[in-house]
Amino acid sequence: MDILTSCPDCGSLLDIEYEWDKLPVPSSMREFESRWSNRRDPLDFSGVWRFRNLLPFAADKDIVTIGEGQTILQQSPVVGKYVGMNAGGLFLQYEGLNPSGSFKDNGMTAASTHARMVGAKVAACASTGNTSASLAIYASTAQLFRVVVFVGSGKIAYGKLSQALDYHAKTLQVLGDFDDALERVREVAGERGIYLCNSVNPFRLEGQKTIMYRVLESLNWQVPDWIVVPGGNLGNSSAFGKAFTELKALGLIDRIPRLAVINAAGANTLYQLYEQQGVRWDGGMSGDSVVETFFSEMDSENRKASTLASAIEINRPVNLKKCLRALDACDGVVRQVTDQEILDAKAQVGAGGFGCEPASAASVAGAKRLRAEGVIAPSDRVVCILTGHQLKDPDATVAYHSGNTALFEEKLGMRGVKTAEFANSPVVVENNLQKIIEVLER
Ligand code: F0G
């Protein structure tokens, strides 16, 4: 059996469409709430499969779940103030609470389920770290298939690398960056019939739709004004657009929120194409030549992505088209933020919430920019998606708080980070009661 992720003729990624009129769809999103009372059933416990009627591609018996999606939405006054919102207007969706510590588990439960449905023996992915950690945890807990992960040899955060190793995934450090690793894994998967679990896999995106269902559920099924999400390979943004388009078509919501996708300035392909060059979805038909020229210039100038937000250090986002479709459906905008803005925003997320890894804070930095531009109004309700757990990348956090910009450069390759405005530096003190009290009273 061939497992395709893209059209053999045009090369575009495959997409999943359901014949909704033949499927049991609830008449209201509130119906899903009843499943909370049946939490001993692993499918109803899962924050993904609780909504299985909205991703109905698998029979219950095939579903692979490890309790993903127990994530929460919280209002954050500290971050709201930083962004410039009115009181109560800023919400953080903590996807770092997933079993492997990032939003990837929402999609990997779906991809693992499909892998089981097709009897896959080996699954693979390329990763900046979180996808590999997620695939590896599903393989280690489900024991249904073996896993090989391809990581770039550059800046993978140790928290993430340690997960792939600890979950016993075969780990290949490709001498190249993420874009190279993804190209290679797609080739190898095609050659060897290996099941591919990157977000080129449309089932991944089906699972990631549920992040939006949980956001709506937490807001008592009220649609917020904005969803703000970091953009790397653009799987999340694509999935969110699909989720809202489907919910609207099914009459389960009455309006679609606006979507803001935030690139790191050092990995800003989407920003360049969408905001600078005006590329639009346009039914999937136009913009191809602009996009091709953009990538061929990128290759000829040997431009590589470079940002301390290593999770989104991606120059060749595979879900570009699907993301353009999402931006079209959600009246979307794209912004880029510097590494400095990302680290400052991350420190505010830590000071006023559970914390997050650098890439995740791009959402908050992006919201702040959009607020300053007046695109987001102070009275809006804004949900920033925090995609990964704070402990994924402690090096960046410690470097920032110790205010050691030389360390940024040397250890993390952080360029352009000059200040640590919100640093909470550790205080060195003598091993002596009196001295400690003196420090505390300062
Ligand atoms: N935030 C985090 C923490 C991520 O790990 C990623 C992607 C993104 C945001 C971007 O999401 O690709 O859906 O736009 N990480 C991938 C990986 C590429 O390999 O772990 P996207």
Side-chain angles (χ1 to χ4, degrees):
M1 183 190 346
D2 274 349
I3 300 174
L4 302 176
T5 51
S6 52
C7 166
D9 295 331
C10 74
S12 289
L13 296 183
L14 300 183
D15 196 26
I16 293 183
E17 272 189 37
Y18 301 102
E19 294 179 281
W20 292 111
D21 50 343
K22 297 185 186 148
L23 290 162
V25 179
S27 57
S28 149
M29 292 296 274
R30 285 193 186 280
E31 286 182 28
F32 291 113
E33 289 176 17
S34 63
R35 293 197 169 139
W36 280 98
S37 60
N38 195 32
R39 289 166 68 79
R40 237 172 274 126
D41 175 344
L43 300 194
D44 286 343
F45 177 78
S46 165
V48 171
W49 300 106
R50 192 147 48 84
F51 300 100
R52 55 194 176 279
N53 310 63
L54 298 173
L55 51 152
F57 68 86
D60 286 4
K61 68 173 178 39
D62 287 326
I63 289 174
V64 180
T65 174
I66 60 170
E68 57 288 318
Q70 310 304 317
T71 65
I72 61 169
L73 182 82
Q74 282 204 330
Q75 220 174 67
S76 175
V78 172
V79 179
K81 188 161 173 245
Y82 177 67
V83 168
M85 306 302 301
N86 289 353
L90 195 285
F91 297 80
L92 301 173
Q93 172 71 13
Y94 290 107
E95 287 301 312
L97 297 178
N98 272 294
S100 81
S102 86
F103 76 93
K104 303 286 178 181
D105 297 348
N106 292 284
M108 212 52 82
T109 182
S112 302
T113 296
H114 187 249
R116 174 192 240 176
M117 286 163 65
V118 300
K121 297 281 176 282
V122 185
C125 70
S127 183
T128 54
N130 282 326
T131 304
S132 50
S134 182
L135 178 57
I137 200 177
Y138 277 89
S140 69
T141 47
Q143 294 286 316
L144 290 166
F145 43 76
R146 285 182 296 118
V147 158
V148 49
V149 304
F150 290 49
V151 296
S153 54
K155 282 191 253 163
I156 182 169
Y158 264 24
K160 305 174 188 181
L161 181 59
S162 70
Q163 289 179 287
L165 300 177
D166 211 31
Y167 299 137
H168 271 252
K170 190 176 202 54
T171 304
L172 305 185
Q173 284 197 288
V174 177
L175 298 177
D177 62 10
F178 170 81
D179 293 315
D180 299 320
L182 181 56
E183 247 181 273
R184 294 295 84 73
V185 79
R186 290 180 82 174
E187 288 167 3
V188 173
E191 280 288 306
R192 306 305 299 261
I194 292 174
Y195 190 86
L196 189 57
C197 288
N198 279 99
S199 54
V200 294
N201 180 328
F203 295 98
R204 275 266 313 270
L205 305 194
E206 289 305 292
Q208 286 169 216
K209 291 190 307 192
T210 64
I211 300 170
M212 292 300 103
Y213 307 154
R214 296 197 298 274
V215 164
L216 293 178
E217 185 179 48
S218 301
L219 293 173
N220 199 15
W221 307 112
Q222 285 171 4
V223 178
D225 298 299
W226 287 92
I227 301 289
V228 191
V229 64
N233 231 354
L234 307 179
N236 249 353
S237 43
S238 302
F240 297 173
K242 188 169 190 285
F244 288 120
T245 308
E246 288 174 348
L247 291 184
K248 181 85 186 343
L250 291 169
L252 292 169
I253 52 174
D254 55 6
R255 69 182 179 89
I256 289 179
R258 295 192 70 186
L259 179 68
V261 184
I262 313 300
N263 273 166
N268 65 355
T269 296
L270 181 69
Y271 174 76
Q272 291 270 351
L273 290 173
Y274 188 79
E275 296 290 349
Q276 311 284 64
Q277 310 213 20
V279 173
R280 291 292 180 273
W281 162 242
D282 201 15
M285 301 309 287
S286 82
D288 279 4
S289 64
V290 181
V291 174
E292 272 166 31
T293 309
F294 179 85
F295 284 129
S296 65
E297 278 175 11
M298 195 169 81
D299 288 342
S300 65
E301 291 165 17
N302 199 23
R303 282 204 311 269
K304 297 286 182 193
S306 175
T307 168
L308 70 91
S310 57
I312 53 173
E313 192 177 57
I314 296 172
N315 253 358
R316 215 175 257 284
V318 287
N319 287 294
L320 177 62
K321 262 197 179 174
K322 287 184 182 176
C323 178
L324 291 173
R325 181 177 66 177
L327 290 164
D328 183 61
C330 303
D331 189 15
V333 297
V334 181
R335 289 296 181 271
Q336 59 172 351
V337 290
T338 63
D339 284 0
Q340 178 79 59
E341 289 172 276
I342 287 174
L343 281 192
D344 289 340
K346 181 176 129 41
Q348 288 292 294
V349 172
F354 296 179
C356 64
E357 68 165 280
S360 311
S363 61
V364 171
K368 183 173 167 63
R369 237 176 213 242
L370 289 163
R371 178 69 274 288
E373 289 173 13
V375 177
I376 290 180
S379 56
D380 283 346
R381 277 179 129 194
V382 176
V383 176
C384 292
I385 310 301
L386 297 184
T387 45
H389 199 282
Q390 182 197 38
L391 296 178
K392 289 277 190 176
D393 191 359
D395 279 355
T397 309
V398 174
Y400 182 89
H401 286 298
S402 57
N404 187 344
T405 48
L407 192 70
F408 292 162
E409 289 275 349
E410 177 204 332
K411 279 193 72 173
L412 303 164
M414 298 179 184
R415 277 174 287 282
V417 180
K418 296 285 173 247
T419 59
E421 193 182 337
F422 305 107
N424 176 31
S425 304
V427 182
V428 179
V429 61
E430 276 178 45
N431 183 14
N432 171 292
L433 174 64
Q434 201 48 44
K435 296 283 183 198
I436 291 173
I437 289 172
E438 276 172 29
V439 167
L440 292 180
E441 284 175 351
R442 241 186 251 152

